[in-house]
Amino acid sequence: AIYAFACMAQVHARPTPTDGFARWSETDPLGQTGPSAAELAQRALSMMRLDGAKIGSAPPAGSKGLIGMPVWLWTAQTPNTWGPLSTTASAGGLSVTATAHVKSITWAMGDGTSVTCTKPGTPYEKSYGKQESPDCGHTYTKVPAGGSYKVTATSTWVIDWTATNGETGTLPNETRTAGTAINIGELQVVN
């Protein structure tokens, strides 16, 4: 490329070009070749759409569960809700691919407890009956005021990156939140 060099002078407190020349160079004469690998990793992350959980539960939203009965929790597994999701950013002859995946989902159950699941959870099927979820669930012990618990699912995303120059790294974790309500009642038997 041809680079222009300018000599600057302070004229009335502003830099003003006074003279200059042009020179051809194979590389940037100031050594600036573009963003660093870590900066490109951050750029790749900014191009991703990382979502919170696409919540599934048993009992499902709109129906009522019972105290003492297991509640199953899960997220739909898509690249945007669980990963892996990869994006590449390039500049100055360097490319960086960032790959994100969910490390865990912490479910704030609305009754003062939380459940952390390292798997997306297992969608409930009627054939499972009254058994507990094998990987992500909770059992309520009292009826909520107002009839439902507000549940918040916080997904923690881990983002690793690899550059074409051999550099690797990890960006700070990202979190995304989603919510739902779970209706819980009590079954009383009269003899």
Side-chain angles (χ1 to χ4, degrees):
I2 297 175
Y3 294 88
F5 294 83
C7 297
M8 305 296 280
Q10 284 292 108
V11 176
H12 305 290
R14 289 191 313 185
T16 305
T18 59
D19 198 3
F21 61 94
R23 187 179 97 187
W24 181 88
S25 177
E26 289 185 39
T27 59
D28 183 342
L30 299 178
Q32 298 172 348
T33 58
S36 69
E39 291 168 333
L40 283 177
Q42 192 66 45
R43 188 179 299 172
L45 172 61
S46 71
M47 294 186 289
M48 291 183 191
R49 193 185 90 219
L50 305 179
D51 293 338
K54 185 174 181 185
I55 297 174
S57 67
S63 64
K64 188 171 270 192
L66 298 171
I67 58 171
M69 294 292 288
V71 173
W72 289 47
L73 304 164
W74 67 89
T75 182
Q77 289 185 63
T78 71
N80 300 98
T81 60
W82 188 256
L85 181 63
S86 294
T87 304
T88 300
S90 301
L94 180 64
S95 292
V96 174
T97 299
T99 302
H101 68 277
V102 173
K103 177 176 108 175
S104 63
I105 298 177
T106 300
W107 301 81
M109 299 306 300
D111 63 352
T113 64
S114 63
V115 177
T116 299
C117 302
T118 58
K119 296 182 179 178
T122 302
Y124 179 80
E125 295 179 16
K126 287 186 180 188
S127 63
Y128 296 149
K130 299 175 186 176
Q131 66 181 318
E132 292 183 5
S133 169
D135 49 18
C136 196
H138 178 67
T139 301
Y140 288 103
T141 58
K142 57 186 172 187
V143 177
S148 67
Y149 287 108
K150 288 186 177 182
V151 176
T152 304
T154 302
S155 302
T156 300
W157 288 85
V158 175
I159 305 98
D160 299 311
W161 57 267
T162 306
T164 53
N165 66 1
E167 289 182 71
T168 61
T170 302
L171 293 174
N173 290 347
E174 295 275 326
T175 58
R176 300 292 186 272
T177 303
T180 191
I182 295 181
N183 298 321
I184 297 292
E186 183 175 19
L187 180 63
Q188 297 186 2
V189 179
V190 179
N191 287 331

